[in-house]
Amino acid sequence: MSAALSPAQTASALLTAQRVLVIGCPGSGKTVLARRLSTRFDLPFQSLDRDARWLPDWVARDPGEQRAIIARLAGAERWVMDGSDPASLDLRLPRADLVLWLRVPRTTAVARVLWRGLVHLGRVRPGMARGCPERLPTASGLSALWHHDRDQAPLIEHALTRYGADVPVAQLQSPVEIAQLFAS
């Protein structure tokens, strides 16, 4: 994995990046940040959940079809893409100019997932596929989120080393750091 960027280096890298990958656990703010970056830097917004993973009624798309869609999306000249699935980082990292890894405290992420479940309950939230109305989080979903750093972070770190060793990585650990990034 490449060396972590300072806030100033991250802000500078954003000015020239044409392909920005936003990763993190559920509730970390990936979609919100990616959409803000899309607007601020006029980059097309791509969401793995919306564009590749889900069909209506929460039916998961065939894994092979998902990979083909992700390969096509990653092959574009410009984008900001949210989604952390380690299984497709081999397709996305070699194309990325910058990775923003949101590493917010898990209590923050859990609170956000619960909040969005209540706020968007029964409606499709921004960044989600059509026909997939928000549901309340399940105990297994919350458990997976709680253990994301233990279970998923090592897979992400391995992928960063293997497929994106030359891609700069900025780890943002709080809403304050994200706000500071936009302020700079």
Side-chain angles (χ1 to χ4, degrees):
M1 187 165 84
S2 62
L5 298 178
S6 71
Q9 291 170 318
T10 303
S12 178
L14 271 172
L15 294 175
T16 59
Q18 297 296 300
R19 292 173 300 279
V20 180
L21 182 56
V22 182
I23 62 175
C25 71
S28 63
K30 297 180 302 293
T31 301
V32 171
L33 178 58
R35 290 170 62 94
R36 284 182 69 193
L37 292 171
S38 172
T39 300
R40 176 96 177 251
F41 296 102
D42 194 30
L43 294 169
F45 169 66
Q46 308 295 341
S47 167
L48 292 190
D49 282 340
R50 181 193 69 196
D51 301 325
R53 184 165 184 203
W54 296 109
L55 295 167
D57 297 322
W58 294 99
V59 174
R61 201 180 295 272
D62 172 77
E65 187 179 353
Q66 284 185 47
R67 282 189 64 80
I69 291 168
I70 293 167
R72 180 180 48 79
L73 294 173
E77 287 304 310
R78 303 176 70 246
W79 44 258
V80 58
M81 185 181 297
D82 80 331
S84 296
D85 181 17
S88 65
L89 286 172
D90 63 317
L91 300 173
R92 297 178 291 140
L93 283 170
R95 296 281 301 146
D97 297 322
L98 175 65
V99 174
L100 300 177
W101 190 355
L102 305 184
R103 310 276 316 251
V104 301
R106 58 187 173 180
T107 53
T108 300
V110 167
R112 287 177 174 174
V113 166
L114 292 169
W115 178 251
R116 86 174 174 212
L118 292 171
V119 168
H120 297 287
L121 186 62
R123 296 179 294 130
V124 177
R125 66 180 157 88
M128 184 48 71
R130 281 190 303 196
C132 293
E134 193 68 18
R135 303 181 286 200
L136 292 175
T138 63
S140 64
L142 290 172
S143 177
L145 187 165
W146 191 257
H147 297 293
H148 186 271
D149 270 356
R150 181 193 73 194
D151 299 339
Q152 297 298 307
L155 300 174
I156 292 169
E157 289 170 353
H158 174 74
L160 285 166
T161 300
R162 185 165 183 192
Y163 306 110
D166 297 330
V167 180
V169 177
Q171 293 190 35
L172 303 170
Q173 299 181 355
S174 72
V176 170
E177 287 184 7
I178 294 167
Q180 289 171 340
L181 178 62
F182 275 92
S184 62

